[in-house]
Amino acid sequence: MASSEYERRIAARFATFDQDGNGYIDREDFYGAAKALLTEFAVTARSDKGQALYGGAEAFWQGMAGIADRDGDQRITREEFVNGAVKRLRDNPDRFAEIARPFLHAALDVADTDGDGAATVEEAGRVLKCLGVPEDLAGPAAAALDADGDGKVGEAEVVPAFARYFTVPE
């Protein structure tokens, strides 16, 4: 892949995390994503699902900060993201999957409105929109996550796909 294409893809992934658009990733971006999901699915922050989602957001933030926040200022700049997180995670996508898993598990639980242990493709699309995926791409992306075609999206499908999306090759 041409370097400019790689840079473009990395910039898009950085923007996905930078929920408030202030030019860096911090804890508030993860909490903002959690709040958006809870609002979308009308789940209260104090509920068990809400607490699990905020706990997952905190764990995800801590994992990302541990990998990428090289100067310890509790913010991940685009440069830190590109040079730290992406390169280190590309070398070990399973590590990325593991730091993301608590948040993704809780997000799917919030989206699982019928309580059957998986989100529908439509619910998964709503999650993706809350996480910053453009509306015209969220539905097709959610459908692509349904690897077995059962109309449901579970953790076993989401976690590896999430890791693949963020651990792009050069």
Side-chain angles (χ1 to χ4, degrees):
M1 173 183 319
S3 184
S4 61
E5 174 65 9
Y6 175 73
E7 288 293 318
R8 185 193 64 74
R9 289 176 69 183
I10 293 304
R13 280 134 179 90
F14 179 82
T16 300
F17 278 112
D18 183 13
Q19 292 276 305
D20 58 14
N22 64 0
Y24 55 85
I25 302 166
D26 63 7
R27 176 178 279 111
E28 293 308 312
D29 290 311
F30 287 82
Y31 287 176
K35 182 178 179 184
L37 283 169
L38 293 176
T39 300
E40 174 67 22
F41 289 95
V43 174
T44 64
R46 293 190 179 184
S47 69
D48 289 344
K49 286 183 177 187
Q51 291 297 298
L53 186 62
Y54 275 108
E58 178 64 23
F60 198 0
W61 160 246
Q62 290 294 329
M64 283 294 292
I67 289 170
D69 183 17
R70 304 321 304 162
D71 61 8
D73 67 353
Q74 295 297 298
R75 299 188 314 183
I76 300 170
T77 64
R78 185 179 183 281
E79 181 179 343
E80 286 174 321
F81 183 77
V82 171
N83 294 325
V86 173
K87 287 182 180 176
R88 293 176 79 193
L89 296 171
R90 185 179 59 227
D91 293 339
N92 188 356
D94 291 337
R95 171 139 165 77
F96 189 60
E98 288 312 308
I99 66 171
R101 184 180 301 278
F103 178 75
L104 296 173
H105 176 82
L108 285 173
D109 195 33
V110 166
D112 176 15
T113 57
D114 65 6
D116 68 353
T120 66
V121 169
E122 185 230 329
E123 290 164 342
R126 290 169 60 194
V127 169
L128 292 173
K129 283 189 277 187
C130 287
L131 298 179
V133 175
E135 189 167 347
D136 62 325
L137 300 176
L145 290 172
D146 180 17
D148 60 10
D150 67 353
K152 298 285 187 168
V153 177
E155 187 174 332
E157 295 163 314
V158 169
V159 173
F162 194 78
R164 280 192 310 272
Y165 178 75
F166 283 101
T167 56
V168 297
E170 278 192 71

